[in-house]
Every structure is written in C-alpha cells, then in structure tokens.
Coordinates of all heavy atoms in Angstrom, one line a residue:
E1 N 77.2 122.8 73.2 CA 77.1 123.0 74.6 C 78.0 122.1 75.4 O 78.7 122.5 76.3 CB 75.7 122.8 75.1 CG 74.6 123.7 74.5 CD 74.2 123.4 73.1 OE1 74.6 122.3 72.6 OE2 73.5 124.3 72.4
E2 N 78.1 120.8 75.0 CA 79.0 119.9 75.7 C 80.5 120.4 75.5 O 81.3 120.4 76.4 CB 78.9 118.5 75.1 CG 77.5 117.9 75.5 CD 77.3 116.6 74.7 OE1 77.8 116.5 73.6 OE2 76.5 115.7 75.2
A3 N 80.8 120.8 74.3 CA 82.2 121.2 74.0 C 82.6 122.4 74.8 O 83.7 122.5 75.3 CB 82.3 121.5 72.5
Q4 N 81.6 123.3 75.0 CA 81.9 124.5 75.7 C 82.2 124.2 77.3 O 83.2 124.7 77.8 CB 80.7 125.5 75.7 CG 80.9 126.8 76.5 CD 79.8 127.8 76.3 OE1 78.8 127.5 75.6 NE2 79.8 128.9 77.0
L5 N 81.4 123.3 77.8 CA 81.7 122.9 79.2 C 83.0 122.2 79.4 O 83.8 122.4 80.3 CB 80.5 122.0 79.7 CG 79.2 122.7 79.9 CD1 78.1 121.7 80.2 CD2 79.2 123.7 81.0
I6 N 83.3 121.3 78.4 CA 84.5 120.5 78.5 C 85.7 121.4 78.4 O 86.7 121.3 79.2 CB 84.6 119.5 77.4 CG1 83.5 118.4 77.6 CG2 86.0 118.8 77.2 CD1 83.3 117.5 76.4
L7 N 85.7 122.4 77.5 CA 86.9 123.3 77.2 C 87.0 124.3 78.4 O 88.1 124.7 78.7 CB 86.7 124.0 75.9 CG 86.9 123.1 74.7 CD1 86.7 123.8 73.4 CD2 88.3 122.4 74.7
E8 N 85.9 124.7 79.0 CA 86.0 125.6 80.1 C 86.7 125.0 81.3 O 87.6 125.7 81.9 CB 84.6 126.0 80.6 CG 83.9 127.1 79.7 CD 82.5 127.4 80.1 OE1 82.0 126.8 81.1 OE2 81.9 128.4 79.5
S9 N 86.4 123.8 81.6 CA 87.1 123.1 82.7 C 88.6 122.8 82.3 O 89.5 123.0 83.1 CB 86.5 121.7 83.0 OG 85.1 121.9 83.4
Y10 N 88.8 122.5 81.1 CA 90.2 122.3 80.6 C 91.0 123.5 80.7 O 92.2 123.5 81.2 CB 90.1 121.8 79.1 CG 91.3 121.6 78.4 CD1 92.3 120.6 78.7 CD2 91.6 122.3 77.3 CE1 93.4 120.3 78.0 CE2 92.8 122.1 76.5 CZ 93.7 121.1 76.9 OH 94.8 120.9 76.2
K11 N 90.5 124.7 80.3 CA 91.2 126.0 80.3 C 91.4 126.4 81.8 O 92.5 127.0 82.1 CB 90.4 127.0 79.6 CG 90.4 126.8 78.1 CD 89.5 127.8 77.3 CE 89.5 127.6 75.8 NZ 88.6 128.5 75.1
K12 N 90.4 126.1 82.7 CA 90.6 126.4 84.1 C 91.8 125.7 84.7 O 92.7 126.3 85.4 CB 89.3 126.1 84.9 CG 89.4 126.5 86.3 CD 88.1 126.1 87.1 CE 88.2 126.4 88.6 NZ 86.9 126.1 89.2
R13 N 91.9 124.4 84.4 CA 93.0 123.6 84.9 C 94.3 124.0 84.3 O 95.4 124.1 85.0 CB 92.8 122.1 84.6 CG 91.7 121.4 85.4 CD 91.7 119.9 85.3 NE 91.4 119.5 83.9 CZ 90.3 119.3 83.3 NH1 89.1 119.6 84.0 NH2 90.2 118.9 82.1
S14 N 94.2 124.4 83.0 CA 95.4 124.8 82.3 C 96.0 126.2 83.0 O 97.2 126.4 83.1 CB 95.2 125.1 80.9 OG 94.7 123.9 80.3
K15 N 95.0 127.0 83.4 CA 95.5 128.2 84.0 C 96.1 127.9 85.3 O 97.1 128.6 85.7 CB 94.2 129.1 84.2 CG 94.5 130.5 84.8 CD 95.3 131.4 83.9 CE 95.5 132.8 84.5 NZ 96.3 133.6 83.6
Q16 N 95.6 127.0 86.1 CA 96.2 126.6 87.4 C 97.6 126.1 87.2 O 98.4 126.2 88.1 CB 95.3 125.6 88.1 CG 94.0 126.1 88.5 CD 93.1 125.0 89.0 OE1 92.8 124.0 88.3 NE2 92.5 125.2 90.2
C17 N 97.9 125.5 86.1 CA 99.2 124.9 85.8 C 100.3 126.0 85.7 O 101.5 125.7 85.8 CB 99.2 124.0 84.6 SG 98.4 122.5 84.8
E18 N 99.9 127.2 85.6 CA 100.9 128.3 85.5 C 101.5 128.6 86.9 O 102.5 129.3 86.9 CB 100.2 129.6 84.9 CG 99.7 129.4 83.5 CD 98.9 130.6 83.0 OE1 98.9 131.6 83.7 OE2 98.4 130.6 81.9
N19 N 100.8 128.1 87.9 CA 101.3 128.3 89.3 C 102.1 127.2 89.8 O 101.6 126.1 90.0 CB 100.1 128.6 90.2 CG 100.4 129.0 91.6 OD1 101.5 128.7 92.1 ND2 99.5 129.6 92.3
A20 N 103.4 127.4 89.9 CA 104.3 126.3 90.3 C 104.0 125.7 91.7 O 104.1 124.5 91.9 CB 105.8 126.8 90.3
E21 N 103.6 126.6 92.6 CA 103.2 126.2 93.9 C 102.0 125.3 93.9 O 101.9 124.3 94.6 CB 103.0 127.4 94.8 CG 102.7 127.0 96.3 CD 102.5 128.3 97.2 OE1 102.9 129.4 96.7 OE2 102.1 128.1 98.3
F22 N 101.0 125.6 93.0 CA 99.8 124.8 92.9 C 100.2 123.4 92.5 O 99.6 122.4 92.9 CB 98.9 125.4 91.9 CG 97.7 124.6 91.6 CD1 96.6 124.5 92.4 CD2 97.7 123.7 90.4 CE1 95.5 123.7 92.1 CE2 96.6 122.9 90.2 CZ 95.5 122.9 91.0
I23 N 101.1 123.3 91.4 CA 101.5 122.0 90.9 C 102.0 121.1 92.0 O 101.7 119.9 92.2 CB 102.5 122.1 89.8 CG1 101.9 122.8 88.6 CG2 103.1 120.8 89.5 CD1 100.9 122.0 87.9
I24 N 102.8 121.7 92.9 CA 103.5 120.9 94.0 C 102.4 120.6 95.1 O 102.3 119.4 95.5 CB 104.6 121.7 94.7 CG1 105.7 121.9 93.6 CG2 105.1 121.1 95.9 CD1 106.8 122.9 94.0
E25 N 101.7 121.6 95.5 CA 100.7 121.3 96.6 C 99.6 120.4 96.2 O 99.1 119.6 97.0 CB 100.2 122.6 97.2 CG 101.3 123.5 97.9 CD 101.9 122.8 99.0 OE1 101.2 122.1 99.8 OE2 103.2 122.8 99.2
N26 N 99.1 120.6 95.0 CA 98.0 119.8 94.6 C 98.4 118.3 94.4 O 97.6 117.4 94.7 CB 97.4 120.3 93.3 CG 96.0 119.8 92.9 OD1 95.0 120.1 93.6 ND2 95.9 119.0 91.9
Y27 N 99.6 118.1 94.0 CA 100.1 116.7 93.8 C 100.3 116.1 95.2 O 100.1 114.9 95.4 CB 101.4 116.7 93.0 CG 101.7 115.3 92.6 CD1 100.9 114.6 91.6 CD2 102.8 114.6 93.1 CE1 101.1 113.3 91.3 CE2 103.0 113.3 92.7 CZ 102.2 112.7 91.8 OH 102.5 111.3 91.5
K28 N 100.7 116.9 96.1 CA 100.8 116.3 97.5 C 99.5 115.8 98.1 O 99.5 114.8 98.7 CB 101.5 117.4 98.5 CG 103.0 117.6 98.3 CD 103.5 118.7 99.3 CE 105.0 118.9 99.2 NZ 105.5 119.9 100.1
Q29 N 98.5 116.6 97.8 CA 97.1 116.3 98.3 C 96.7 115.0 97.6 O 96.1 114.1 98.2 CB 96.2 117.4 98.0 CG 96.4 118.7 98.9 CD 95.6 119.8 98.6 OE1 94.4 119.6 98.0 NE2 96.0 121.0 98.8
F30 N 97.0 114.9 96.3 CA 96.6 113.7 95.5 C 97.3 112.5 96.0 O 96.7 111.4 96.2 CB 96.9 114.0 94.0 CG 96.6 112.8 93.2 CD1 95.2 112.5 92.8 CD2 97.6 112.0 92.6 CE1 94.9 111.4 92.0 CE2 97.3 110.9 91.8 CZ 96.0 110.7 91.5
A31 N 98.6 112.6 96.3 CA 99.4 111.5 96.8 C 98.9 111.1 98.2 O 98.9 109.9 98.5 CB 100.9 112.0 97.0
D32 N 98.4 111.9 99.0 CA 98.0 111.6 100.3 C 96.8 110.7 100.3 O 96.6 109.8 101.1 CB 97.5 112.9 101.1 CG 98.8 113.6 101.6 OD1 99.9 113.0 101.6 OD2 98.6 114.8 102.1
T33 N 96.0 110.8 99.2 CA 94.8 110.0 99.0 C 95.1 108.6 98.5 O 94.3 107.7 98.4 CB 93.7 110.6 98.1 OG1 94.3 110.7 96.8 CG2 93.4 112.0 98.6

C-alpha cells in the first residue's frame, strides 16, 4: 500500500515534467518562496 502511494505521486510529477512550460513556471514559483 505504501509503495503504491509513493509511486503514484512519483509518476504524477514525472508526467508534469513532460511539460516544458510547467518546468519553468513551477520553478519560478519555488524561487519566489
């Protein structure tokens, strides 16, 4: 059960990495903090 939850989140983030605009904008938000 733990492994399933960990990998689900991991795969979701990995899918987001396919979007070049997301990589740029998300890092800008992180930098602001």
Side-chain angles (χ1 to χ4, degrees):
E1 295 78 11
E2 291 168 333
Q4 183 177 354
L5 291 173
I6 292 169
L7 291 177
E8 282 178 357
S9 298
Y10 176 67
K11 290 175 181 177
K12 181 180 178 181
R13 290 191 298 273
S14 301
K15 184 68 176 177
Q16 291 172 310
C17 286
E18 297 175 7
N19 185 333
E21 185 176 347
F22 172 84
I23 294 294
I24 295 171
E25 292 303 317
N26 198 66
Y27 193 69
K28 283 182 179 178
Q29 294 176 23
F30 179 76
D32 286 345
T33 65

